[in-house]
Amino acid sequence: MASSVTTSITENNLTEFKQYLDDPESEIHQYIGENGITYSYDTQFSVYTYDPEGTLVNTDGSTLNDSAQSGAGTGMMSGMLTSSNHFEELMPGMDGTRISPTVTDSYDVLYGSWPKAYNEVVLVLNQNNEIAATTLYELGFLPASEYRELMERLESGEELSLETQKWGYEEICSQTLYLIPACDFYVENANGFFDRLDTDAEIESLLEQAVELKITGVIRPREDAENASISRTIGYTSALTEYLIDYTNNSPVVQAQMVSPDINVLNGAEFSPADDAAKAADAKVYLNNLTESEKADLCREILQSVYSDDPANAQMMLEQSDAALSAMLDEYILSSEDPEDERILMIYETYISAGSYDDNMEAFGYVSLDTPSSIHIYTDSFEDKEAVTDCIASYNSTVSEENQISYTDYVGLLMSSVTTIIDVITYGLIAFVAVSLVVSSIMIGIITYISVLERTKEIGILRAMGASKRNISQVFNAETFIVGLCAGLIGVGITLLLLIPGNAVIHAIAGTTDVNAALPWTSAVLLIALSVVLTLIGGLIPSRKAAAKDPVTALRTE
């Protein structure tokens, strides 16, 4: 199943398919279940918090490593491209309900309540009221310095013994999380372009305008839950998704990029320069707009690359002042009049290359409501699921090949495995039943034959009184008919009686009365008829032997 899911990832035109689903006249709506159709969007954000020591941590775990702290914010920004791994949108319900009854019925609220506002979330525990230790560090419940110390001890080969720690629900819910949309990391500079904030101080300055997420409740899967499907630690509602989409799409950086679809608002370069001369011109514009410190930083990066094989010389050059390094960049790069200077083109390709409009919009967190990242369709029965499959097939037949929908039927994948197992068991049972029927037919024939041997004189008397061979055969056929009829009736009667305690056991184990064992009356009649037919077949040969006996010989038999 995992292989099928992994290899079935394809790109679909969900925009056009969403139009089909949003059309109330579409035939698929008659098969949609209680949970309806839900759309997922790739909203991009980072969530920060303060640990007990007051250290700012990114909940994606990037700030727990020393390398993330010393990399000029490189680690801090890793959570921007995707939302943090600890956050998951709760399944919405029908008619604008923020949380589906399927979710609320599958979890117990241990403290507080379900989220109502867009900035409210719930903390999800496992069955044992536990959260993984790493998650506790990443969410700021435990100090980041302690985590680094533990990692150092672990790397040195020391055996660790972690103490079990406990928190009160009220203490957990007092933890404040700061959500920063991806677009807020980009601020306009004096040159009219947008810079990306990536240092600790810059990120802390964003917290004043960040969305403060409040943990309003703590939930745990119920023991008998059938749909406890939340796989992350923090659950938020679709209201937060809608807020992020609206906020991001109206942010300055997104609006500026939409106004200039051909120019990268981060550096002023064209997304698709015509030739090397255009690339060189864009590079010079970009470099001229850098401050002295920014030029010095870029010069250091270039020198580290150029002198990678000569560390001593590289170190000497890198120790120069910002002013000297900035002047060096101006002298060796910007003074060039050659539009195809390889140095300028190298800088463009390595440090400035504009990428594409779509790449920028994705980095800014822009999302179109008409283009969901995934669509989930729920039904209430297997029959409706098959009908939805047929509707999608019908839709695919009406659109071009590139717009056809490829989907993953998770239930179908699971049921295919279950069906295979059931088929194997069924074939095994059929084999056992077939053997038992053959053996029982042989035994019936033997018993009938013994009856013929014991009643040989009686057969002779009947023949002497004028009974025909056919009459003799009918006597034994009638006996086998009665035996088969009684056996069938007894078997069906015992089965019906055993269904009473059997269903009681099934209901107790399954915890529901929806599953029942039953014997339809049509099946009962067929089983009785089968019993009669098998006994008649089993007694056919002995009855013919009885009819074929010589009357004189039969009368002499003692």
Side-chain angles (χ1 to χ4, degrees):
M1 182 188 70
S3 175
S4 299
V5 172
T6 304
T7 57
S8 65
I9 297 176
T10 57
E11 184 175 347
N12 287 310
N13 184 352
L14 296 185
T15 302
E16 187 170 336
F17 187 56
K18 184 176 183 295
Q19 294 176 359
Y20 165 78
L21 295 176
D22 290 342
D23 183 1
E25 301 299 324
S26 298
E27 59 178 344
I28 197 171
H29 287 286
Q30 58 185 310
Y31 307 111
I32 302 303
E34 178 184 357
N35 293 311
I37 302 172
T38 62
Y39 303 107
S40 298
Y41 298 91
D42 284 335
T43 52
Q44 298 179 21
F45 56 86
S46 291
V47 179
Y48 294 85
T49 188
Y50 288 100
D51 69 8
E53 296 178 349
T55 303
L56 182 68
V57 294
N58 190 335
T59 59
D60 68 356
S62 60
T63 51
L64 292 181
N65 302 311
D66 287 331
S67 58
Q69 293 294 317
S70 60
T74 301
M76 299 287 281
M77 295 302 296
S78 64
M80 284 183 55
L81 296 181
T82 57
S83 57
S84 179
N85 348 353
H86 298 303
F87 290 78
E88 178 179 347
E89 182 180 333
L90 304 174
M91 181 193 299
M94 296 285 284
D95 302 323
T97 306
R98 292 302 182 188
I99 306 175
S100 169
T102 302
V103 176
T104 56
D105 292 345
S106 300
Y107 288 85
D108 289 322
V109 179
L110 304 178
Y111 178 84
S113 62
W114 290 97
K116 296 181 177 64
Y118 77 96
N119 62 334
E120 295 180 346
V121 298
V122 288
L123 185 73
V124 185
L125 308 179
N126 65 11
Q127 292 281 6
N128 301 318
N129 285 23
E130 295 174 342
I131 298 177
T134 304
T135 303
L136 291 172
Y137 286 108
E138 293 174 348
L139 292 177
F141 292 111
L142 294 174
S145 60
E146 181 181 304
Y147 177 85
R148 298 188 192 100
E149 180 185 347
L150 290 174
M151 290 300 101
E152 290 175 0
R153 292 168 57 189
L154 188 64
E155 290 174 2
S156 64
E158 183 179 344
E159 291 188 9
L160 299 180
S161 178
L162 299 180
E163 296 181 358
T164 299
Q165 303 196 41
K166 298 182 180 180
W167 288 267
Y169 295 136
E170 186 174 355
E171 182 182 357
I172 289 177
C173 291
S174 66
Q175 182 82 349
T176 302
L177 304 171
Y178 299 92
L179 182 148
I180 304 177
C183 61
D184 280 357
F185 286 93
Y186 298 87
V187 295
E188 192 170 5
N189 58 31
N191 298 315
F193 303 131
F194 286 83
D195 293 329
R196 190 179 71 180
L197 306 182
D198 56 7
T199 65
D200 292 357
E202 290 173 335
I203 291 173
E204 287 203 60
S205 69
L206 294 176
L207 299 185
E208 297 179 2
Q209 63 190 51
V211 178
E212 292 190 13
L213 299 180
K214 302 174 183 177
I215 303 176
T216 61
V218 181
I219 62 175
R220 178 185 63 191
R222 292 183 177 176
E223 292 184 4
D224 58 345
E226 298 178 354
N227 297 290
S229 57
I230 305 175
S231 58
R232 308 289 174 85
T233 310
I234 302 291
Y236 62 91
T237 67
S238 57
L240 180 59
T241 301
E242 294 170 4
Y243 168 83
L244 283 169
I245 293 174
D246 182 66
Y247 179 88
T248 300
N249 293 357
N250 291 286
S251 63
V253 66
V254 170
Q255 290 296 312
Q257 189 63 81
M258 294 177 71
V259 171
S260 305
D262 299 325
I263 303 297
N264 189 338
V265 296
L266 300 180
N267 52 29
E270 293 184 31
F271 284 119
S272 301
D275 50 29
D276 289 346
K279 293 180 180 179
D282 283 342
K284 287 190 175 185
V285 171
Y286 172 76
L287 295 172
N288 277 322
N289 288 323
L290 295 179
T291 63
E292 183 180 272
S293 62
E294 290 172 338
K295 287 182 181 180
D297 290 338
L298 177 58
C299 188
R300 289 188 180 96
E301 287 189 54
I302 296 173
L303 289 173
Q304 284 179 330
S305 176
V306 172
Y307 292 99
S308 59
D309 297 332
D310 189 1
N313 196 14
Q315 185 64 29
M316 180 181 66
M317 308 230 3
L318 292 173
E319 290 177 352
Q320 298 184 58
S321 65
D322 285 356
L325 290 172
S326 176
M328 184 185 301
L329 185 67
D330 288 340
E331 180 180 354
Y332 288 98
I333 303 297
L334 298 182
S335 61
S336 173
E337 298 295 336
D338 183 2
E340 297 184 1
D341 191 307
E342 291 184 1
R343 292 172 297 179
I344 297 180
L345 293 177
M346 181 274 294
I347 290 178
Y348 177 87
E349 297 293 348
T350 307
Y351 304 102
I352 306 174
S353 181
S356 69
Y357 174 85
D358 291 337
D359 291 339
N360 270 17
M361 296 300 275
E362 182 179 356
F364 302 154
Y366 173 79
V367 170
S368 171
L369 291 175
D370 294 330
T371 310
S373 59
S374 62
I375 299 175
H376 304 272
I377 302 174
Y378 299 93
T379 62
D380 290 338
S381 67
F382 286 105
E383 292 77 12
D384 288 343
K385 183 190 76 69
E386 295 300 327
V388 167
T389 301
D390 294 338
C391 289
I392 296 177
S394 176
Y395 167 83
N396 285 340
S397 65
T398 62
V399 298
S400 59
E401 184 176 352
E402 60 269 17
N403 289 332
Q404 291 181 0
I405 298 298
S406 300
Y407 60 93
T408 301
D409 185 353
Y410 294 103
V411 175
L413 290 171
L414 290 170
M415 290 308 299
S416 64
S417 299
V418 174
T419 302
T420 301
I421 296 172
I422 293 176
D423 288 342
V424 171
I425 296 174
T426 301
Y427 296 146
L429 292 175
I430 289 173
F432 281 115
V433 171
V435 171
S436 66
L437 291 177
V438 172
V439 172
S440 63
S441 298
I442 294 174
M443 292 303 298
I444 290 171
I446 293 173
I447 292 171
T448 306
Y449 184 67
I450 292 173
S451 176
V452 170
L453 294 177
E454 292 178 348
R455 297 162 64 187
T456 302
K457 192 169 185 177
E458 180 182 336
I459 293 171
I461 295 172
L462 289 173
R463 290 298 304 278
M465 292 174 62
S468 64
K469 291 182 179 181
R470 183 178 180 183
N471 295 141
I472 300 299
S473 179
Q474 288 175 341
V475 169
F476 289 99
N477 286 338
E479 288 183 3
T480 54
F481 175 84
I482 294 171
V483 170
L485 181 62
C486 292
L489 291 172
I490 293 172
V492 169
I494 293 175
T495 300
L496 293 174
L497 290 175
L498 291 177
L499 285 178
I500 299 173
N503 278 323
V505 173
I506 292 173
H507 296 161
I509 295 175
T512 176
T513 58
D514 293 336
V515 180
N516 293 286
L519 179 63
W521 69 268
T522 53
S523 299
V525 172
L526 288 175
L527 288 172
I528 294 172
L530 179 62
S531 176
V532 172
V533 170
L534 288 176
T535 53
L536 285 173
I537 293 174
L540 191 61
I541 296 176
S543 66
R544 288 189 175 183
K545 282 186 171 291
K549 284 185 177 296
D550 181 65
V552 177
T553 304
L555 286 171
R556 292 177 180 176
T557 302
E558 295 293 337

